[in-house]
Amino acid sequence: MTDLATRAAPPGTAALRRAAPALLGYAAVRALGLVVLALWSAARGRSAYTLLTARWDSLWYARVAGLGYGYEVRLPNGDVHSNLAFFPLLPWLERLLHAVTPLSYAGAGFAVALVSSLAAAWGIFAVADRLYGPRAGVCAVLLWAALPVGVVQSMAYSESLFTALAAWSLYAVLAGRWPAAGSLALLAGLTRPVGLAVAAAVWAAAAASFVRNGSVSGPHGARDTAHAPHRGDSPPPGGATVRQRALGMLLAPLGAAGYVLWVGRHTGRGPLGYLDVQAGWRNGFDGGYAFARFVAGRFTSLPSALAGVGLIAGVVLVGLLYGACVRQRQPLPLLVYAGAVTALALCASGYFGSKPRLLMPAFPLLLPLAVALARLRPSRSALVVGGVAAASAVYGAFWLNGSGPP
């Protein structure tokens, strides 16, 4: 009976069972963060739920869900903040949940974030487990949960939804499931502008496999599959046809490209109309010049100079982590994805306080740390993760109860 039940179980059951420790650990870390936030907020006479669902971008997403596009705010300095800057997948899901449940648009966004964060944790585990084993997968998930801005994963924002789609798209690439990879990349492109990083990863892996071995190569691009053993019940890569890879490449950019082109048509400004919308928010891509000026401006007095040193240290740390990813010989799609997310975050010309949040989807940067943590004794790993999770919970509560970056 036991053998028959096991063999009759759906394929996803074994994968879920394998990921269960990571998902339970993730839930525990995020629950700690929410409890600390609730206690901190109550002590200040504020609502933790309101902080999670009705501030900054969450208000814009809820307005798009309720009223559609076309709303804008004109500031005294002449800037125009248009809700066209916000990609549509999260508002669509908020509208759908609002229609079928008693949830408000804000509550629907919160629900989407909670479910998406678990899906993201599972996707991160799946990628890390496939490459480095289950212990590294658990550690990667716990580190992602305990990021200093990890509280954003529980906010009515699009970061958790985007990370879930990106992680599973990358996993599909590693598993050689090109149509699935392209479809998930398409959805990621409907979630955030940085969805183009997912499309770039799919394209890079597919193009590399075409160049290296024609129609029979695996999806890893930069390295042989011997360096990236498959684990669990995933089918080995290498059986994808030319048509499947071409379909994945075709689908991958359609979400981001489609929305950008729609904005251009909607505004009457042509294919680059979305850039004009972002310019109204004083946001764009300048190669990091504005950010460098912002950091240099911190060195005008002693207190702010400490913040400048911290910013420089953070950028150096991100660079070192990416270098470690290269030395770790991560698969090409992960390197392309993490590099693109990092470049777009650090080289954006506005919202400097939001850069840690914008870097949060770049989870491959955590894999070298996860592998190192997995090599420690379980007691030491638990001590490290516990300390980092506690610090993240306190920082998240302090951040949301303050003026916090959007």
Side-chain angles (χ1 to χ4, degrees):
M1 287 292 292
T2 303
D3 182 59
L4 286 173
T6 301
R7 285 188 284 124
T13 300
L16 179 58
R17 190 182 304 118
R18 188 177 182 87
L23 298 180
L24 290 173
Y26 176 82
V29 172
R30 292 303 332 127
L32 173 64
L34 293 178
V35 168
V36 172
L37 174 64
L39 294 174
W40 192 304
S41 302
R44 294 173 58 90
R46 309 183 75 175
S47 166
Y49 180 74
T50 299
L51 295 176
L52 292 168
T53 62
R55 295 189 78 185
W56 304 310
D57 290 7
S58 57
L59 293 172
W60 287 90
Y61 283 119
R63 184 179 289 274
V64 173
L67 301 176
Y69 286 106
Y71 175 79
E72 62 184 27
V73 175
R74 294 184 178 273
L75 303 183
N77 65 356
D79 290 346
V80 178
H81 288 184
S82 168
N83 64 1
L84 290 168
F86 296 89
F87 276 50
L89 185 57
L90 177 56
W92 287 347
L93 294 175
E94 290 179 346
R95 183 180 299 176
L96 175 62
L97 272 183
H98 174 72
V100 300
T101 70
L103 293 172
S104 65
Y105 293 118
F110 183 58
V112 170
L114 293 182
V115 174
S116 297
S117 66
L118 285 171
W122 191 357
I124 292 170
F125 171 82
V127 170
D129 176 33
R130 184 179 183 86
L131 297 176
Y132 308 113
R135 287 195 63 186
V138 172
C139 291
V141 169
L142 295 178
L143 289 174
W144 189 70
L147 287 172
V149 293
V151 69
V152 174
Q153 297 163 19
S154 303
M155 295 179 69
Y157 271 39
S158 62
E159 271 77 7
S160 290
L161 177 61
F162 173 77
T163 305
L165 294 167
W168 282 109
S169 178
L170 292 171
Y171 178 79
V173 170
L174 296 178
R177 300 167 184 167
W178 297 99
S183 299
L184 290 165
L186 184 156
L187 293 174
L190 287 171
T191 307
R192 298 184 62 80
V194 75
L196 289 173
V198 189
V202 173
W203 272 65
S209 66
F210 276 127
V211 170
R212 290 175 63 236
N213 295 314
S215 64
V216 296
S217 81
H220 293 83
R223 61 187 211 158
D224 189 82
T225 55
H227 297 292
H230 350 275
R231 305 176 185 272
D233 58 357
S234 299
T241 65
V242 173
R243 182 176 298 178
Q244 289 173 328
R245 270 177 288 175
L247 178 59
M249 295 177 73
L250 174 66
L251 291 172
L254 291 183
Y259 180 69
V260 167
L261 291 175
W262 178 84
V263 169
R265 185 174 183 274
H266 182 76
T267 59
R269 299 174 185 173
L272 301 182
Y274 184 77
L275 298 181
D276 294 333
V277 171
Q278 285 285 8
W281 287 79
R282 292 188 179 269
N283 199 17
F285 187 88
D286 65 357
Y289 175 72
F291 183 45
R293 289 189 59 186
F294 174 79
V295 173
R298 302 303 93 191
F299 293 92
T300 56
S301 62
L302 184 57
S304 63
L306 297 178
V309 171
L311 288 170
I312 293 174
V315 172
V316 170
L317 175 61
V318 170
L320 291 175
L321 287 175
Y322 189 77
C325 293
V326 175
R327 291 192 300 274
Q328 194 180 37
R329 300 181 66 193
Q330 287 186 12
L332 177 63
L334 269 64
L335 292 176
V336 170
Y337 169 75
V341 172
T342 300
L344 290 171
L346 294 181
C347 296
S349 60
Y351 294 93
F352 306 116
S354 298
K355 293 194 181 296
R357 170 172 68 85
L358 300 178
L359 284 167
M360 191 172 65
F363 69 89
L365 296 179
L366 299 174
L367 295 184
L369 297 177
V371 171
L373 191 60
R375 291 172 180 162
L376 299 178
R377 294 178 181 176
S379 59
R380 292 185 179 179
S381 298
L383 185 63
V384 171
V385 171
V388 173
S392 172
V394 171
Y395 178 74
F398 167 78
W399 182 59
L400 280 192
N401 277 278
S403 58

